[in-house]
């Protein structure tokens, strides 16, 4: 089913250093609508930093980032407004601990998008249903399992109607038996046409769901391509070594 | 005169003093909170010059005795023609002192909130101020309750020093009773018992507040002082 | 210039007394506090309850009231100078707080340490002395530093007993020169320096003897 290709995220020569340590060394990447990109690579290679540079939670030292045609790296851009429609899911969930699951989702709708409470309530319930947790609307984060927390976090992002979703190792903090429920939600999202950029070590998810695997090392993109090619016979030896290692674990 | 007889004479007078003890400690606690909370926010989120300024305030007031602060304001400032009444001096000295301590409790509470909370709030498009108002402050208040309870109890205890500038709270009443009847021990014991009762009831009350404001599932994350 | 020549002698006289009161109160407070703490942790159930009640009482009452009560009791029993009676009173008050600090520190040493010490044949006392105390001591330094600063500041309370410490000297000076602000600001600055130096010093000590991880 070919779609007219629409550029959603454009990253151009992004650099970021923490002190002397260069975390990103000139990353460039284009991501089209409905693409699901999986970022892989050894830990400490800047994958999470790159995600945070996309929504400007981390400000790059140089380079440019556009999301939906708006240049976020332009100082004149209202970054808060831009972030409203860039969903982000964190490794450690970061649900607001003092709010129920429903209020976690409603908060952004009411205070950021300015929705009426009743409207926000309906929307939030709908999103909870979508991740299969409508019955937990009154629970506090501390009363949920890790997998449930992460599904609520996804619902919180989805409620804002994002044009792209960023996943930062969404299953790394979960017990093995809880990973599946989160991946299922992500898979449904991908099939629904959501544009997604995921940092994850779940090779199974990459193989089945994603449209492109990007392998990063030492702050650079080493190689990228279709999952079939990247997983079976990549061009670079470094890619082969790394993906070979984690595929065995899968 | 038996102890019981003496009690009947002394208790009504102590009651009058107790009301002033309450007045001083509650007003100072309130002043301390009004100062302490913004100071804590300034110390965590403020620009560098402001952080430096409020740190100086906190360190100076925590590093010197409250009695010296009281005397400095009440006896010292008139040298420059600035004169406060005894009550105003008490509110000012103890309130500023408590503000310094309370700011530290609030700061601890703010810093006990995981940094991911701020990031998550920003990621859904909240401004820094919105995140502080809706995410950080509600949690910080709850985290601060245990140490804030200690401060409330401290205020009742610390307010006793104002008898030295002749404010007629409980200790002052004790001093008057002793000079009139010359029986220090029964007087001190009586006043001590009243303090114990007041502080005991206050502690129970604060524990109840703490219990009711606990966030379900987050019990273990609460920080004491 | 006259301010200096007149004020300095007053301040120095008061400062030495303030330091003496603090040293006695902190030192004896540490001694009593340690005994209280060890008895509360390792003494029997009944003893530990009685001592806990004692500590709770001391911690619940205003220091100035306790100072007057203890001073009064001491004055009845033995004939002590205001300086010694005041210092001793502050030591007893501080012992309650210090015992809490030491008890907390002892209890933060994992239970397995005692078991391991006993398993290699140490008796209880030896285990406490060689294994528990050296570890507990390190945990105790930061809160103890806090308590030391409190005792320095509390030493100003013996003013009410007429002990000529630094606050009382400031009062003498202002009565003579009508310059109360000069006197009290100087005194505040000295207290600030004392607490600052104490906290920094103990902070350095804590870092110096920290167990490498």
């Amino acid at each position: 089913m070919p779609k007219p290709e629409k550029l959603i995220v454009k990253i151009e020569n992004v650099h970021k250093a923490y002190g002397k340590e260069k975390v990103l060394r000139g990353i460039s990447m284009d991501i089209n609508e409905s693409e699901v990109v999986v970022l892989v690579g050894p830990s400490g290679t800047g994958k999470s930093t790159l995600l945070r540079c996309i929504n400007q939670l981390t400000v790059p030292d140089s380079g440019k980032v556009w999301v939906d045609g708006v240049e976020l790296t332009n100082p004149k851009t209202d970054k808060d407004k831009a972030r409203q429609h860039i969903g982000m899911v964190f490794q450690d969930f970061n649900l607001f601990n003092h709010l129920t699951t429903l209020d976690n989702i409603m908060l952004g709708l009411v205070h950021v998008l300015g929705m009426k409470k009743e409207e926000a309530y309906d929307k939030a319930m709908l999103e909870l249903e979508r991740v299969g947790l409508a019955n937990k609307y009154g629970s506090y984060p501390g009363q949920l399992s890790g997998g449930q927390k992460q599904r609520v976090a996804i619902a919180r992002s989805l409620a804002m109607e994002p044009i792209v979703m960023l996943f930062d190792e969404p299953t790394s903090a979960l017990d093995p038996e809880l990973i599946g429920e989160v991946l299922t939600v992500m898979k449904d999202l991908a099939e629904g046409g959501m544009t997604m950029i995921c940092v994850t070590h779940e090779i199974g998810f990459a193989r089945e769901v994603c449209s492109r695997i990007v392998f990063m090392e030492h702050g650079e993109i080493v190689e990228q391509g279709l999952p079939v090619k990247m997983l079976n016979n990549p061009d670079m030896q470094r890619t082969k070594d790394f993906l070979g290692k984690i595929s065995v674990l899968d | 005169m038996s102890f019981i007889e003496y009690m009947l004479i002394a208790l009504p007078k102590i009651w009058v003093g107790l009301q002033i003890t309450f007045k001083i400690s509650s007003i100072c606690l309130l002043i301390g909170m009004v100062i302490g909370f913004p100071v804590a926010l300034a110390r965590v989120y403020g620009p560098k010059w402001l952080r430096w300024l409020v740190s100086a305030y906190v360190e100076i007031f925590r590093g010197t005795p409250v009695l010296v602060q009281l005397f400095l304001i009440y006896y010292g400032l008139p040298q420059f023609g600035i004169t406060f009444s005894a009550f105003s001096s008490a509110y000012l000295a103890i309130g500023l002192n408590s503000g310094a301590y309370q700011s530290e409790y609030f700061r601890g509470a703010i810093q006990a909130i995981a940094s991911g909370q701020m990031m998550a709030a920003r990621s859904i498009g909240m401004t820094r101020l919105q995140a502080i108002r809706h995410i950080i402050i509600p949690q910080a208040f709850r985290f601060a309750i245990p140490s804030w309870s200690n401060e409330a109890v401290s205020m009742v205890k610390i307010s006793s020093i104002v008898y030295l500038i002749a404010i007629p709270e409980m200790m002052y009443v004790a001093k008057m009773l002793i000079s009139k009847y010359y029986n220090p021990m029964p007087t001190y014991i009586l006043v001590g018992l009243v303090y114990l009762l007041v502080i005991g009831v206050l502690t129970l009350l604060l524990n109840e507040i703490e219990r009711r404001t606990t966030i379900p599932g987050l019990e273990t994350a609460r920080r004491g002082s | 210039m006259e301010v200096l020549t007149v004020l300095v002698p007053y301040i120095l006289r008061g400062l030495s007394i303030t330091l003496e009161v603090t040293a006695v109160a902190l030192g004896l407070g540490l001694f009593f506090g340690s005994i209280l703490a060890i008895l509360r942790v390792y003494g029997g159930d009944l003893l530990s309850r009685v001592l806990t009640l004692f500590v709770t009482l001391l911690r619940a009452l205003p220091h100035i009231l306790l100072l007057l009560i203890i001073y009064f009791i001491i004055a009845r029993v033995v004939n002590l100078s205001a300086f010694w009676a005041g210092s001793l009173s502050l030591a007893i008050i501080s012992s309650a707080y210090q015992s809490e600090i030491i008890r907390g520190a002892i209890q933060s040493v994992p239970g397995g340490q005692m078991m391991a010490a006993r398993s290699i044949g140490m008796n209880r006392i030896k285990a406490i002395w060689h294994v528990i105390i050296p570890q507990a001591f390190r945990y105790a330094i930061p809160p103890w530093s806090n308590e030391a600063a409190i005792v320095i500041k509390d030493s100003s309370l013996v003013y009410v007993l007429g002990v000529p410490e630094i606050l009382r000297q400031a009062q003498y000076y202002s009565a003579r020169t009508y310059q109360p602000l000069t006197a009290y600001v100087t005194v505040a600055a000295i207290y600030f320096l004392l607490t600052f130096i104490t906290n920094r010093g103990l902070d350095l000590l804590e870092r110096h003897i920290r167990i490498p991880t």
Side-chain angles (χ1 to χ4, degrees):
Chain A
M1 189 170 58
K3 283 183 195 171
E5 291 200 343
K6 186 188 170 198
L7 193 61
I8 297 286
V9 177
K10 184 175 177 63
I11 302 167
E12 196 178 274
N13 199 23
V14 163
H15 287 261
K16 178 72 191 176
Y18 291 112
K20 277 186 180 163
E21 197 193 345
K22 290 177 181 152
V23 185
L24 297 177
R25 314 162 175 239
I27 301 280
S28 299
M29 204 192 285
D30 287 351
I31 291 143
N32 288 325
E33 191 170 20
S34 296
E35 251 200 292
V36 177
V37 174
V38 166
L39 293 176
V40 293
S43 55
T45 34
K47 296 164 299 191
S48 298
T49 308
L50 179 61
L51 276 195
R52 284 204 296 270
C53 281
I54 295 175
N55 68 356
Q56 302 288 304
L57 280 177
T58 297
V59 181
D61 298 335
S62 65
K64 292 177 176 176
V65 175
W66 289 264
V67 173
D68 203 24
V70 178
E71 195 209 319
L72 298 189
T73 35
N74 184 335
K76 286 182 194 144
T77 306
D78 181 349
K79 296 192 176 75
D80 295 320
K81 200 161 163 52
R83 279 192 206 106
Q84 293 170 13
H85 300 294
I86 307 173
M88 186 165 209
V89 175
F90 303 88
Q91 179 176 350
D92 44 3
F93 330 122
N94 293 338
L95 288 181
F96 304 131
N97 294 317
H98 62 306
L99 301 176
T100 61
T101 53
L102 188 70
D103 286 334
N104 258 279
I105 302 173
M106 283 174 64
L107 188 75
L109 298 176
V110 173
H111 292 290
V112 177
L113 299 183
M115 225 181 244
K116 281 208 187 75
K117 281 230 161 142
E118 305 77 54
E119 207 183 330
Y121 177 93
D122 292 343
K123 174 91 177 140
M125 280 308 277
L126 207 71
E127 295 300 343
L128 271 179
E129 225 153 275
R130 191 155 146 188
V131 297
L133 287 171
N135 59 334
K136 294 284 184 190
Y137 71 96
S139 302
Y140 284 87
Q143 298 170 313
L144 301 178
S145 74
Q148 291 171 331
K149 280 184 202 167
Q150 197 58 298
R151 282 147 70 196
V152 173
I154 294 173
R156 179 175 67 184
S157 290
L158 288 178
M160 307 295 288
E161 308 206 326
I163 36 187
V164 55
M165 288 279 289
L166 311 173
F167 290 86
D168 189 2
E169 305 208 23
T171 57
S172 299
L174 297 178
D175 292 334
E177 72 272 18
L178 301 177
I179 292 176
E181 59 186 84
V182 173
L183 290 181
T184 307
V185 170
M186 289 171 66
K187 198 175 158 190
D188 289 348
L189 262 183
E191 282 166 1
M194 175 63 72
T195 311
M196 295 163 61
I197 306 173
C198 318
V199 174
T200 180
H201 299 298
E202 295 296 328
I203 289 303
F205 173 81
R207 182 184 294 123
E208 281 176 50
V209 181
C210 85
S211 46
R212 189 185 352 160
I213 294 181
V214 176
F215 174 59
M216 282 178 66
E217 199 175 36
H218 304 310
E220 288 170 328
I221 294 177
V222 176
E223 184 177 359
Q224 50 183 314
L226 291 172
V228 189
K229 178 176 163 59
M230 290 289 283
L231 292 170
N232 298 330
N233 78 48
D235 295 332
M236 311 288 285
Q237 187 59 36
R238 282 195 286 171
T239 316
K240 199 170 191 168
D241 291 346
F242 181 79
L243 287 176
K245 254 184 263 166
I246 60 171
S247 300
V248 171
L249 293 172
D250 187 41
Chain B
M1 188 165 49
S2 74
F3 185 67
I4 303 289
E5 280 172 317
Y6 180 59
M7 244 174 72
L8 292 177
I9 297 171
L11 276 181
K13 298 198 162 75
I14 292 177
W15 168 240
V16 176
L18 178 61
Q19 288 170 322
I20 295 178
T21 293
F22 271 143
K23 187 174 158 191
I24 302 252
S25 37
S26 53
I27 290 178
C28 291
L29 187 67
L30 202 70
I31 294 175
M33 181 147 78
V34 169
I35 296 173
F37 198 72
V39 163
L41 287 174
R43 228 178 149 177
V44 179
Y45 298 112
K48 204 170 180 183
W49 64 269
L50 187 62
R51 286 205 302 252
W52 192 87
L53 198 74
V54 293
S55 303
Y57 154 70
V58 171
E59 294 312 321
I60 287 171
F61 275 86
R62 278 162 36 98
T64 54
V66 62
L67 189 55
V68 172
Q69 292 157 20
L70 182 69
F71 281 10
L72 199 158
I73 289 171
Y74 185 64
Y75 294 122
L77 289 183
Q79 187 185 332
F80 275 179
I82 307 166
T83 310
F84 289 106
S85 71
F87 271 94
S88 303
S89 303
Y91 296 147
L92 201 59
I94 301 178
L96 281 167
N97 183 270
S98 180
Y101 282 92
Q102 290 191 47
S103 82
E104 285 293 273
Y105 302 144
F106 286 126
R107 183 167 72 111
I110 291 170
Q111 287 171 338
I113 299 169
S115 63
Q117 296 280 308
M118 175 61 107
M119 249 208 292
R122 301 302 300 276
S123 84
I124 58 170
M126 288 196 156
T127 62
R128 207 174 154 76
L129 277 178
Q130 277 180 319
I132 291 173
R133 166 155 152 42
H134 294 292
I135 307 301
I136 305 296
I137 289 179
Q139 294 187 60
F141 260 106
R142 289 181 173 89
F143 280 146
I145 287 173
S147 39
W148 193 82
S149 302
N150 289 341
E151 182 64 11
V153 170
S154 286
M155 274 299 99
V156 175
K157 289 157 62 183
I158 288 173
S159 69
S160 58
I161 63 161
V162 303
Y163 94 91
L164 292 170
I165 57 170
I167 291 177
E169 48 66 75
M170 274 213 286
M171 284 301 291
Y172 191 81
V173 171
K175 190 178 148 188
M176 291 291 111
L177 285 168
I178 290 167
S179 63
K180 186 164 173 193
Y181 297 97
Y182 199 71
N183 48 358
M185 217 49 214
T187 310
Y188 287 141
I189 288 174
L190 210 53
V191 170
L193 287 174
V194 174
Y195 268 116
L196 280 183
L197 189 72
V198 167
I199 283 170
V201 170
L202 187 63
T203 307
L204 289 179
L205 208 72
L206 290 164
N207 284 346
E208 183 60 21
I209 292 177
E210 194 184 316
R211 203 178 59 77
R212 290 199 184 182
T213 51
T214 300
I215 301 164
L218 202 64
E219 289 86 354
T220 47
R222 284 189 290 124
R223 306 292 207 281
S225 62
Chain C
M1 215 49 228
E2 204 213 314
V3 172
L4 279 184
T5 51
V6 182
L7 180 59
V8 168
Y10 275 104
I11 292 295
L12 287 181
R13 224 172 298 142
L15 178 59
S16 70
I17 294 176
T18 288
L19 290 175
E20 284 162 27
V21 171
T22 304
V24 172
L26 258 182
L28 284 181
L30 179 62
F31 179 68
F32 297 144
S34 307
I35 294 175
L36 269 175
I38 290 174
L39 290 180
R40 278 173 76 193
V41 178
Y42 299 110
D45 197 38
L46 181 71
L47 184 62
S48 112
R49 271 174 202 226
V50 172
L51 294 177
T52 303
L53 181 70
F54 174 69
V55 168
T56 310
L57 274 181
L58 285 184
R59 281 159 44 95
L61 289 169
H63 292 185
I64 204 156
L65 175 64
L66 282 171
L67 182 71
L68 292 168
I69 292 178
I70 300 170
Y71 175 74
F72 186 79
I73 295 174
I74 292 174
R76 282 237 165 143
V77 182
V78 281
N79 187 14
L80 282 181
S81 66
F83 169 83
W84 278 104
S87 307
L88 198 58
S89 306
L90 285 181
I92 293 172
I93 297 170
S94 179
S95 74
Y97 291 84
Q98 295 196 52
S99 89
E100 284 286 271
I101 291 168
I102 296 162
R103 191 179 64 106
I106 292 175
Q107 286 173 340
S108 27
V109 178
Q113 297 287 311
M114 175 59 107
M115 266 193 288
R118 301 298 295 275
S119 78
I120 58 166
M122 283 188 179
N123 63 29
R124 227 172 141 72
I125 304 283
K126 268 194 182 152
I128 293 173
W129 182 249
H130 292 291
V131 177
I132 306 296
I133 287 180
Q135 295 182 56
F137 177 65
R138 291 172 164 87
Y139 287 119
I141 292 177
W144 195 82
S145 162
N146 208 14
E147 174 63 16
I150 291 172
V151 173
I152 292 173
K153 292 184 280 174
D154 265 2
S155 74
S156 63
L157 295 180
V158 299
Y159 158 93
V160 301
L161 306 177
V163 178
E165 46 67 74
I166 198 165
L167 185 58
R168 179 65 74 178
Q169 297 290 349
Q171 203 184 35
Y172 291 159
Y173 173 83
S174 52
R176 180 174 150 182
T177 62
Y178 299 105
Q179 291 181 329
L181 191 65
T182 317
Y184 290 122
V185 167
T186 310
V187 165
I190 288 174
Y191 274 113
F192 182 78
L193 276 178
L194 289 179
T195 53
F196 183 82
I197 292 169
T198 306
N199 284 337
R200 283 302 136 93
L202 285 166
D203 197 32
L204 283 179
L205 175 69
E206 197 256 340
R207 255 182 264 174
H208 185 68
I209 64 169
R210 189 177 292 168
I211 301 164
T213 46

